[in-house]
Amino acid sequence: MYDVIIIGAGVSGASIARRLSRYKLNILILEKELDVSMGASKANSAIVHGGYAESHDELRGRICYKGRVEFNKLNQELNFGFLENGSLVLAFDEDDKKELEKLYKMGLENDLDDIEIIDQKKLREIEPNVSDDAIAALYCKGAGVCSPYEYVIALVENAIENGAKLKLQSEVVDIKKNGEIFKVKTSDDNVYEGKFVINASGLNGAKVSSMITETDFTIHPRSGEYLLMQKGTGEKIKQVLFQTPSPKSKGILVTRTYHNNLLLGPDAIDEEEIDLGTHIERLAEIYKLGKKSVKDDVIDLKKIHPFFCRAKTCIINWRFYY
C-alpha cells in the first residue's frame, strides 16, 4: 500500500515526488517510458523564464518569478546544471517597443526587481552579436538556462534517495476506486494500491483523468521544432534572445544551451495527434526567423546537429485525487 501514487516522471511528477519525499510517506512513481524525462521535459527550450511574460491575473504570472529565484539554490542542492545568463526580448520597430512596455509592466506587477528596458547602446554592450536591426530590448538579468533532462533525473534520484519507488515501462491502463483506496493497473498487469493519486502525465493527462472521474477538459497537442547546433557554437551568444511574443508563443528564440550549443526555435503548430517528427520546411522557417535576431555569422548551418521536436500541451495540468 502506497500513501501516494504519482503518474508521470516528467518535470511535474519529479518535482512533486521530491517535495513529498521529505515526509514520512510511501511514494510510488509510475512512468510508461524506458526512463524519466522522456516526454516534453527532455525536449524544450530549457529556459528558466524571468517572470514577465504572463499577467499577474494568471497563476503562472504570480508564481514564475518565485520559482525562478529558487533555481540557484536548487542547482546547489542537486547539481543538474543552471546558468543565470539573463534574457533579452528584442524590439525591431516602434510597435515592438510598445510590446516591451507591456512586458515590463507585467514584470513589475509580478514583483520582478531585475528588469529594465535598454537602448541600442547598452544592448550591444551586453550582447555584441545581436542584430544591427534591434533598436531596444527588455533585459532580465536573472533569467537563464538549465539542463532540462538532468534536472528531472536529479529530482527523481533525490526522491528515490529519500525512499520513493520508481517503476519504469509501467503505463497506467486502468484506475479503480474501492472505498478510500485507489487500485492502479499498469501495462505489465501489476496493480498498485494507494490512498492518493496524482496525475502528472502531461499529454496523457486527460486520458488518465478519465479513468478516475468525469473529465471536464481535453488536451490539444502543440508541437515545436528546433535547430540545434554542435557543442561550442553557443559561445557567440551570451543571453537568451527572444523576439517580441505572438498570441501563440514567446516567439523564435536564439540561445546557448547549458552545454554550449546554439539553439534556435521553436515554432508552434497545433496538431490533431502527437507528432514528434521534424519537417524541413518548418526548420527552414525557424532558421530564417532566427537570423533576424543575430549577426550574419552567428548561425553556421555547417555545424548543425540532428534536429529535434517537442510536443507540448495547451493545458499544463496535474490533478490530485482523493
Side-chain angles (χ1 to χ4, degrees), residues 103-205:
L103 295 174
Y104 178 71
K105 181 179 179 182
M106 287 195 294
L108 295 181
E109 290 173 348
N110 291 334
D111 297 326
L112 273 69
D113 59 3
D114 59 353
I115 56 170
E116 60 177 316
I117 295 177
I118 59 176
D119 60 15
Q120 282 184 316
K121 181 180 179 182
K122 184 167 183 178
L123 172 58
R124 280 155 184 77
E125 287 175 356
I126 65 174
E127 192 60 75
N129 282 322
V130 72
S131 168
D132 292 334
D133 295 329
I135 61 174
L138 178 67
Y139 177 41
C140 180
K141 187 176 181 180
V145 295
C146 70
S147 180
Y149 49 90
E150 289 176 285
Y151 177 40
V152 177
I153 291 168
L155 290 167
V156 175
E157 285 180 342
N158 193 188
I160 291 172
E161 287 173 357
N162 290 342
K165 301 291 190 300
L166 171 66
K167 299 289 185 181
L168 299 171
Q169 294 181 274
S170 299
E171 181 176 5
V172 173
V173 295
D174 189 42
I175 303 173
K176 302 291 186 192
K177 190 174 184 183
N178 185 5
E180 298 299 315
I181 303 301
F182 289 96
K183 294 189 175 184
V184 181
K185 184 178 180 181
T186 55
S187 51
D188 53 5
D189 286 329
N190 283 314
V191 177
Y192 302 97
E193 295 186 345
K195 299 175 184 176
F196 299 92
V197 173
I198 295 177
N199 176 9
S201 55
L203 287 167
N204 291 305

Side-chain angles (χ1 to χ4, degrees), residues 44-55 58-61 64-65 68 87-92 96 99-100 103 106 110 112 138 140 143-144 222-226 240-255 264-269 289-290 292-293 310 312-314 316:
N44 54 72
S45 305
I47 309 302
V48 180
H49 287 281
Y52 52 76
E54 281 82 29
S55 165
E58 298 183 29
L59 178 61
R60 287 189 297 174
C64 183
Y65 171 65
R68 187 249 287 182
S87 68
L88 294 162
V89 183
L90 304 177
F92 296 93
D96 285 350
E99 189 66 30
L100 297 189
L103 295 174
M106 287 195 294
N110 291 334
L112 273 69
L138 178 67
C140 180
R222 178 178 293 164
S223 69
E225 295 185 18
Y226 294 82
V240 181
L241 304 184
F242 293 102
Q243 296 167 9
T244 49
S246 71
K248 188 178 284 189
S249 76
K250 294 181 175 67
I252 298 296
L253 63 85
V254 179
T255 185
L264 285 72
D267 59 358
I269 305 296
L289 293 174
K292 180 180 178 182
S293 296
R310 72 172 178 187
K312 64 179 288 189
T313 63
C314 296
I316 298 176

Side-chain angles (χ1 to χ4, degrees), residues 265-296:
D267 59 358
I269 305 296
D270 293 329
E271 309 277 9
E272 291 298 322
E273 297 180 355
I274 298 172
D275 178 9
L276 299 181
T278 54
H279 307 81
I280 191 66
E281 67 278 2
R282 290 174 62 176
L283 296 169
E285 184 66 14
I286 289 168
Y287 170 66
K288 176 183 174 182
L289 293 174
K291 286 181 64 178
K292 180 180 178 182
S293 296
V294 294
K295 293 185 183 298
D296 290 339

Side-chain angles (χ1 to χ4, degrees), residues 60-73:
R60 287 189 297 174
R62 296 193 296 273
I63 66 175
C64 183
Y65 171 65
K66 294 179 180 179
R68 187 249 287 182
V69 297
E70 292 183 6
F71 257 78
N72 270 319
K73 183 172 182 288

Side-chain angles (χ1 to χ4, degrees), residues 71-83:
F71 257 78
N72 270 319
K73 183 172 182 288
L74 275 171
N75 191 45
Q76 290 169 13
E77 293 173 352
L78 299 174
N79 194 33
F80 54 84
F82 170 57
L83 178 65

